[in-house]
Amino acid sequence: MATPASSGLKFLSNALATPEQLSTSSSSIDGVTPDLEASIRFAGALLTQAAGVLLRLSQDIIAQAIVTFTRFWIGAEGGSLRIYNVKDVSAASLYLTAKLSFQPTSPRSVLNVYGFLLSKQASPLWCINPDPYLESSSSSSTSSEHPPPNPETYILTEGEYQTRRAVLMRTEAIVLRTLGFNTHVALPHTISLTYLQTLGVAAPGVARRVFGHLNAALLSPQLLYVTHQPNALAVAAIYLAAREEGVKLVGSEWWEVFDVDREELGFLVVAMRSMEGFAERELRVWKGKGVPMTVEEVEEEIERRRKGVEEEVNGG
Amino acid sequence: MSSKSRWANEDDPETEAILAQRKREKEEKRRAKAEKQRQLEEQQQQQQQQQQQHQQSTSNYTDAPPPSKRRRLSNDHSPSHQPQPSKPNPDRPEENNHLLALPTSEWGPCRHVDNFERLNHIEEGSYGFVSRARNITTGEIVALKKLKLEPNSPEGFPVTGLREIQTLFESRHQNIIELREVVMGTKMDEVYLVMPFLEHDLKTLLDDMREPFLPSETKTLLLQIISGLDFLHGQWIMHRDLKTSNLLLNNRGEIKIADFGMARYFGDPPPPKLTQLVVTLWYRSPELLLGADKYGPEIDMWSIGCIFGELLGKEPLLQGKNEVDQVSKIFALTGPPTSQTWPDFRSLPNAKSLRLPPSSSPATTPATPPLLPRGKFPYLTNEGLRLLSSLLALNPTSRPSAKQCLAHPYFREDPRPKPKEMFPTFPSKAGQEKRRRRETPEAPKRGQEAPKLDFASVFGGAPAAGDGAEAGAGFTLRLG
């Protein structure tokens, strides 16, 4: 199916979502509103990123895990937020990706890290810990008011470990089945470095900014990593980073050299620029509440919204 | 003036008329083409709009990006909707640049194994059962390989199985078996790989043949195996279990590398702490036998050398009874390593117990691997012997890469490789009959402890003689 010229490039390209998969999701069929789904997916990706950092996994493994996590929820045949716990799918994606990498990690490490990150008292993540002063607690002046969290709120007992390990293994198998064992994820990061060198951009600020955009795009509600090939993501990040850093690139339509047309580039640049606004909005909406991370919490949130609508109707 | 060619005469009114006529025709054609292109584009735009409207009506999630322009995958598009190969467009010359479309695939959940009707059992490898099956909807005959999964494995889905699937999915090459899809049973631990069914494996075929392959046929087979391996190594994949029973042959003379149960990605520098228990004993390279945990694609090249030898002689080249015997058989064939041919071998873990015989001619040994004894391969040409000797070089860095092998003069000299179409056909054992199983050692099991080996006897007590007589009889893999 691939042309001869590109048949050897499979490792540089990804499986992409079909239009059908993008138009419906299993969660939306089950009555999860698109904005709630986007919020939960965003928080789940944040959780995966944080867990990967605590597990000292390299960013390429974390990024691949987030893409696998994202793919899982897409399409009518994907996973539904009312059936699978976001936290479990996040842990399984990370564990699975690390297993296939040069840096495998143990189930115990994964579960310990998730135990900590998911603790409502101890978690440093705003999307989980409902403490409204979470951000300010890091500054020294207020640290006395916020003593370090009690380890008992996140420690994993042996019994819990056994139960959660079984859940992790089961979720891993479910993720594999849902993705048809398609675990390959090509990333734009290394590609972008090659492109930068080709373009003769030596400024380290640009490269840093490119990686920043590429990592932020992992969390995009527009699902950029499952709708665009890595070369396009790399080109868009370079375009944006060079703009922001005030570095002039060659005058001609250089993106075509990297097989990206103007239309795709334009779309991706707009999408990447909208990331910051999206993240700020999410923080505003959910800070102090915590984003639902389990099926029960999703049900509660749906119920709460339903009641809110009813009250509004009754009141008005 | 009459000598002047009629074709060179530009003033010739006749020629001019013809040229003008041609020009007109061309112009018309171009216009028609442009018109067609325009209509197509309009149509495309219309359809795209329709699709967008459709999308927006089905989902009010306005943030969803429009489907990428170069991918039209849904069935409701007409074939005219396929991306146009970049035609020269006179109106907008800047769009003539040809953009390479990366190969794109999709994902979807695993189908159920009941979509296939199992016909007969083919074989049981170390990593799963293989059976012949028919796709119920298409009627196509396939091979179904059931992965062996331990129900309560502490690591979850075994990493070997995952690697097998991932590496196979990424290896689309004419000389590598194609993984069509992964299907599952009702239970979570029933996982099957769907692959095309090939009539033979090279091992069974060699067993049943009276005479080995002709030199031209050997070259055809070897070229195909090596070009498949070249592709794999280019994708940073090591096979780690190349042997004749993992090479499948169809009745059209095409050979495909199969069984990726041991395959994994490598890198440069190589990933640390690779397992040394890889590759079936008879095809295992000396550095693995001597306990190296840093190794690279060279181990596959050694296996290729063993397969080459087996194609020539019809019998496995180095049939050791255990690791120690394997090492002594290797050294009996190649001669012992010297500090010239393999400077690093002394630092390998298992090399310490190895006592080498007093070297006969240390000063004159060249740095390049010596040629194997001619008498062992009487019908091989000099170039062939050179290739075989370099593949079976003790020092991994002396072995040629797959790419270098493909360019070897052995494949250019007479007799030339036989065209695949001219390849003989054979009755298929896997098709119906139950096959005769021969005693061959199995690929090592994952998770086994690598044995601490004592190679003191390699050149000492038991002389490495009398091979062949006990080959295949009462074979046991002694570990530890």
Side-chain angles (χ1 to χ4, degrees), chain A residues 20 95 99 184 221 256 259, chain B residues 61 74 97 100 155 157 170:
Chain A
E20 285 74 23
Y95 175 64
K99 194 195 303 191
H184 166 80
E256 293 203 340
D259 304 303
Chain B
Y61 182 27
S74 52
N97 299 337
L100 182 75
E155 56 159 10
F157 199 96
E170 273 174 62

Side-chain angles (χ1 to χ4, degrees), chain A residues 239-258:
Chain A
Y239 182 92
L240 204 50
R243 274 275 168 108
E244 290 166 348
E245 294 286 310
V247 171
K248 188 148 169 44
L249 298 174
V250 283
S252 59
E253 301 190 323
W254 56 271
W255 45 85
E256 293 203 340
V257 175
F258 305 120

